[in-house]
Amino acid sequence: MKIIVTGGAGFIGSNFIFHMLKYHPEDKIICIDKLTYAGNLATLKQLIADEKISFFKLDICDRERIYALFERERPDIVVNFAAESHVDRSIDNPGIFLFTNTLGTGVLLDACMKYGIKRYHQVSTDEVYGDLPLDRPDMFFTESSPIKTSSPYSASKAGADMLVQAYHRTYKLPVSISRCSNNYGPYHFPEKLIPLMIINALHDKPLPVYGQGINVRDWLYVEDHCRAIDMIIHDDDCVGEVFNIGGHNEMRNIDIVKLICSELGKPESLIHFVTDRKGHDLRYAIDPTKIYLRLGWRPETRFADGIRKTIKWYLENESWWRPLVKITTA
């Protein structure tokens, strides 16, 4: 099969490409990425050089060029990772998030309608559900939880989800959606919490933590996420369905930062509390029962193991992140 992976030079998209090449070497992978600040072609350089994947620098909002690519390649599956994804950036500049995340999704859906596909899969986020109270650990997001966005980023992703579901209902386009908790692992852009803390700690720089660091996130190792998407797109019974993908690894931000300090042998005195983010969601927690029961998927990586693997990767791959550090830590 031919699979178009949009946003494939980004964090989760590139990990998904590595996963697919490992477990489905017979498939042809076509990677699309606009190569904005978070898209790093160095991640895929060797795959492109070895002709294991095809790469096209392309904006998913560019209807003419997207149509031309679909006309030429005739993909069977489209997996859309392409997105502006940093909440702080969405607060500063909402427009680009609406344009890429919502309107870009619409262009891809139109292309799928025009040229025909076996499956369109939308990679969404648990942030479309808003947040949960810190004092209710018994509460979790399910697929039937109401959409209640808190930031321009999450609103733009929710808008994309609604478009995907509308195209399925109106045009019978074969679609699926996954909403995942926070990912971590290799190739994570250094502006995000875990890689930023690792790299700053390595340089004995301040570790900026919003508020008092009590906000809670559910963390999932990126390979577990990729495996879940692989299972969804290869199961015909998943057409029209939404799946929550969570790790049952809830952690306070401050505890993650302290754990990173401990693993790297750095003092907690590096931690520096900063003014909290506007509209900062308190807690995300996903109930992944549906994907457990329907597909038998389970997260395989415990957070304690995953964070050590992630720290080890950043220690051993300085050549990947070094050119990016000046963007976020200078």
Side-chain angles (χ1 to χ4, degrees):
M1 288 196 295
K2 286 187 178 182
I3 302 176
I4 285 182
V5 179
T6 70
F11 167 44
I12 307 177
S14 61
N15 276 280
F16 181 72
I17 288 175
F18 291 131
H19 170 91
M20 295 300 288
L21 290 175
K22 180 178 180 180
Y23 293 100
H24 303 277
E26 72 283 359
D27 289 343
K28 179 180 180 181
I29 304 295
I30 302 154
C31 175
I32 295 173
D33 201 293
K34 188 179 178 181
L35 295 181
T36 58
Y37 72 95
N40 190 352
L41 197 56
T43 307
L44 305 173
K45 183 177 180 181
Q46 197 58 51
L47 296 181
I48 297 169
D50 294 342
E51 298 183 342
K52 292 186 176 181
I53 67 170
S54 300
F55 176 79
F56 298 91
K57 184 179 179 181
L58 190 57
D59 185 345
I60 61 171
C61 296
D62 188 337
R63 186 177 296 271
E64 182 177 351
R65 293 186 65 200
I66 288 290
Y67 279 19
L69 181 67
F70 273 66
E71 173 74 34
R72 181 170 64 253
E73 297 292 344
R74 299 287 175 163
D76 299 292
I77 296 174
V78 175
V79 183
N80 181 26
F81 292 94
E84 297 283 347
S85 64
H86 197 256
V87 173
D88 289 347
R89 290 176 183 263
S90 81
I91 293 170
D92 293 337
N93 184 12
I96 187 64
F97 283 73
L98 300 176
F99 192 67
T100 298
N101 297 355
T102 307
L103 297 180
T105 296
V107 171
L108 292 174
L109 292 168
D110 287 341
C112 290
M113 287 289 300
K114 183 176 177 65
Y115 295 102
I117 54 157
K118 293 179 180 178
R119 178 73 65 84
Y120 173 90
H121 183 77
Q122 178 73 7
V123 181
S124 188
T125 170
D126 60 356
E127 294 189 43
V128 301
Y129 298 123
D131 65 353
L132 296 167
L134 293 175
D135 60 354
R136 289 294 306 276
D138 58 313
M139 293 180 65
F140 298 89
F141 296 134
T142 70
E143 289 80 1
S144 60
S145 295
I147 301 299
K148 190 179 179 182
T149 62
S150 303
S151 69
Y153 161 62
S154 57
S156 67
K157 291 295 288 184
D161 286 6
M162 298 301 101
L163 271 179
V164 172
Q165 292 177 315
Y167 272 64
H168 175 64
R169 177 164 181 169
T170 302
Y171 305 113
K172 309 306 178 187
L173 190 69
V175 306
S176 49
I177 298 172
S178 57
R179 295 173 179 154
C180 191
S181 57
N182 285 41
N183 280 211
Y184 68 103
Y187 303 106
H188 206 174
F189 189 71
E191 73 181 353
K192 297 303 180 81
L193 177 68
I194 287 177
L196 177 62
M197 296 301 124
I198 293 171
I199 293 170
N200 277 18
L202 287 173
H203 291 84
D204 296 308
K205 288 193 171 187
L207 308 180
V209 176
Y210 281 128
Q212 296 301 308
I214 61 174
N215 304 72
V216 173
R217 300 292 181 262
D218 175 19
W219 293 91
L220 182 71
Y221 194 65
V222 66
E223 170 58 24
D224 285 330
H225 185 190
C226 295
R227 185 165 45 83
I229 294 173
D230 180 7
M231 296 172 76
I232 292 169
I233 64 176
H234 286 99
D235 191 321
D236 291 341
D237 290 336
C238 293
V239 170
E241 298 284 352
V242 175
F243 290 93
N244 283 349
I245 306 172
H248 276 316
N249 280 310
E250 288 186 54
M251 296 280 291
R252 298 192 310 168
N253 290 344
I254 187 62
D255 295 329
I256 288 177
V257 179
K258 288 181 178 179
L259 177 58
I260 290 171
C261 287
S262 175
E263 290 290 330
L264 292 174
K266 298 294 183 176
E268 292 183 7
S269 59
L270 289 174
I271 297 172
H272 176 59
F273 293 105
V274 299
T275 302
D276 208 354
R277 169 190 288 162
K278 296 178 181 178
H280 200 176
D281 287 335
L282 293 174
R283 172 176 171 255
Y284 302 149
I286 273 185
D287 178 358
T289 300
K290 180 177 177 179
I291 194 170
Y292 286 7
L293 297 177
R294 291 280 295 273
L295 300 179
W297 175 89
R298 294 284 195 284
E300 295 179 350
T301 307
R302 296 186 313 121
F303 186 80
D305 297 327
I307 194 66
R308 291 189 183 98
K309 287 198 294 184
T310 301
I311 291 171
K312 184 174 185 289
W313 187 89
Y314 279 91
L315 289 172
E316 295 176 349
N317 290 272
E318 184 174 349
S319 61
W320 181 87
W321 55 259
R322 172 63 68 178
L324 307 175
V325 169
K326 63 180 181 295
I327 299 173
T328 54
T329 63

